[in-house]
Amino acid sequence: MTVSFEIWARDGAARAGAVTTPRGRYLTPLFMPVGTRGAVRMLTSADLEDLGAEVVLANTYHLMLRPGAEVVAGHGGIHRFAAWGGHVLTDSGGFQVFSLEPRVDDDGVTFRSVYDGSLHRLTPESAVRAQELIGADIQMALDVCTRLPAPVSEVRRGMERTLAWAARAREAHRREGQALFGICQGGTDTELRGLSARRTAELGFDGYGIGGLSVGEPREEMLPALSAAIAELPDDRPRYLMGVGDPLALVEAVGLGVDQFDCVLPTRLARHGTVLTNAGRLSLKRAEHAADAGPVDPACRCPVCRRWSRGYLRHLLAVDEPAAGRMLTIHNLTWVFALMGRIRTAVADGTLAGLRAEVAATWARPG
Ligand SMILES: [Zn+2]
């Protein structure tokens, strides 16, 4: 195995620990910001260092189309290209490709570029190759993302194809020092989820992604599907719930045994003027903040909250000043990283249930 995973503390099914890769170590439970096209929008690699980001997700789909995986490789890989010393995890490209209604067959998937409409092909082997060229520390096996709701027969077909592709990715993966995670699918069907997780685990990956959840299905369907997958995954490997980032879901999923997450939510909300605070989510665009001289969140230690007022930020948003999106991105990521720090502490102290109740009281309301 390319990565080792040490569990330092447990609270029920929740774990806190550290994943060690050839690049270094990251603490879990962990939130990974999304750097879609080689940068987290509005931020530089230096900003991410200042924020304490440990792992950044990069999108294989976008990088293989622009500038091209070979171009990134020519620059010495994504770390040199972006001048980023932390970890990079690349997704397989599957999630973006399947949102474009591509042509899928047993061998792979054919899709059109969002940039120029040109036709491209992704197979389990070419996805491995692209991620090797990009040079991520952790790459993901190509999976089939079935859109929900879908008939169970379709979910099963996607799951079987994902398993076959996972085996091929495992076979194709050669690059030393680069970890490969498999992905469990199976929709919200607990039986299929369990089966998918068990058979993916049998293939033996460095870690396991749980994909195809949090795609619009109700929370009462997501959590049982997640539990069913986790029950079949090995205890000593990191588990990564893909695309989940709302505060209550983070705490609940950690409670079920998830170790890492990625989501565009905190950065996307920031660009639209919405901030995450200990009092919940609020839109700084609203006129009521115009005269407010207080910080975004009095409890936040970020450089934005220490220096600028809600009134000033609201003004920048109102006049479309790009600095506002950058400032709110810095705040929102600081807030999510602080939440993950509180989660790690709660697991270590055995107080995760209390933290869950506190987060639920603020965040249970949708929106
Ligand atoms: Zn702040």
Side-chain angles (χ1 to χ4, degrees):
M1 290 290 164
T2 307
V3 306
S4 64
F5 181 38
E6 268 181 273
I7 296 172
W8 296 338
R10 292 179 193 267
D11 182 359
R15 313 101 70 79
V19 173
T20 304
T21 78
R23 185 164 306 277
R25 191 174 84 171
Y26 62 85
L27 301 181
T28 64
L30 172 89
F31 180 82
M32 304 184 286
V34 180
T36 302
R37 299 162 205 258
V40 173
R41 286 212 182 142
M42 305 277 175
L43 302 185
T44 68
S45 305
D47 294 326
L48 291 168
E49 283 165 17
D50 293 344
L51 287 168
E54 294 189 274
V55 185
V56 174
L57 184 142
N59 282 118
T60 298
Y61 169 83
H62 287 287
L63 291 175
M64 68 185 270
L65 295 176
R66 298 278 167 89
E70 292 80 6
V71 175
V72 177
H75 281 276
I78 187 69
H79 294 87
R80 274 202 198 155
F81 193 40
W84 165 243
H87 285 87
V88 173
L89 179 149
T90 39
D91 66 1
S92 67
F95 184 77
Q96 270 85 20
V97 165
F98 281 92
S99 68
L100 302 170
E101 308 203 338
R103 277 210 322 273
V104 195
D105 54 65
D106 282 340
D107 184 56
V109 52
T110 304
F111 61 96
R112 285 194 185 277
S113 162
V114 282
Y115 295 101
D116 58 11
S118 56
L119 273 179
H120 295 266
R121 177 93 177 143
L122 204 55
T123 66
E125 292 80 10
S126 71
V128 165
R129 179 72 185 138
Q131 293 177 83
E132 284 181 351
L133 286 168
I134 292 166
D137 303 291
I138 299 171
Q139 65 156 285
M140 305 297 297
L142 183 64
D143 60 327
V144 176
C145 304
T146 306
R147 281 189 169 194
L148 300 178
V152 73
S153 58
E154 199 182 312
V155 175
R156 179 181 290 275
R157 192 164 58 242
M159 182 207 84
E160 291 289 352
R161 206 167 246 165
T162 297
L163 282 165
W165 289 5
R168 283 165 56 190
R170 185 88 179 70
E171 198 59 35
H173 178 249
R174 290 282 176 272
R175 183 162 172 164
E176 277 185 31
Q178 187 183 51
L180 175 65
F181 282 20
I183 300 179
C184 318
Q185 286 287 346
T188 52
D189 186 298
T190 52
E191 202 186 317
L192 289 183
R193 274 284 163 190
L195 188 63
S196 172
R198 184 161 67 247
R199 289 173 56 194
T200 309
E202 281 166 8
L203 294 170
F205 289 95
D206 288 296
Y208 296 89
I210 300 154
L213 287 176
S214 193
V215 290
E217 79 284 3
R219 177 189 237 77
E220 58 270 21
E221 289 182 13
M222 178 179 117
L223 295 176
L226 183 56
S227 298
I230 287 173
E232 300 293 342
L233 292 175
D235 185 65
D236 64 347
R237 295 284 105 203
R239 303 162 183 161
Y240 158 31
L241 179 56
M242 304 168 75
V244 167
D246 87 83
L248 182 54
L250 291 173
V251 182
E252 289 186 329
V254 167
L256 295 176
V258 174
D259 307 300
Q260 57 193 86
F261 304 88
D262 80 283
C263 194
V264 295
L265 185 83
T267 45
R268 179 176 289 165
L269 286 177
R271 295 196 304 278
H272 291 97
T274 297
V275 287
L276 308 172
T277 77
N278 286 351
R281 179 191 287 199
L282 61 97
S283 171
L284 277 190
K285 286 186 171 173
R286 295 167 63 123
E288 68 194 66
H289 301 299
D292 194 337
V296 170
D297 187 342
C300 180
R301 310 278 304 151
C302 89
V304 177
C305 289
R306 278 192 306 220
R307 186 159 183 169
W308 292 289
S309 67
R310 286 186 181 185
Y312 178 62
L313 294 164
R314 191 256 165 197
H315 159 69
L316 294 184
L317 288 165
V319 297
D320 262 337
E321 200 56 57
R326 171 176 161 77
M327 292 152 96
L328 299 191
T329 299
I330 288 170
H331 165 78
N332 277 0
L333 282 181
T334 302
W335 190 87
V336 174
F337 291 151
L339 175 65
M340 298 315 293
R342 291 178 69 202
I343 289 173
R344 288 193 294 269
T345 302
V347 173
D349 294 347
T351 57
L352 190 67
L355 180 59
R356 188 210 166 274
E358 188 190 322
V359 171
T362 311
W363 295 92
R365 284 168 289 113

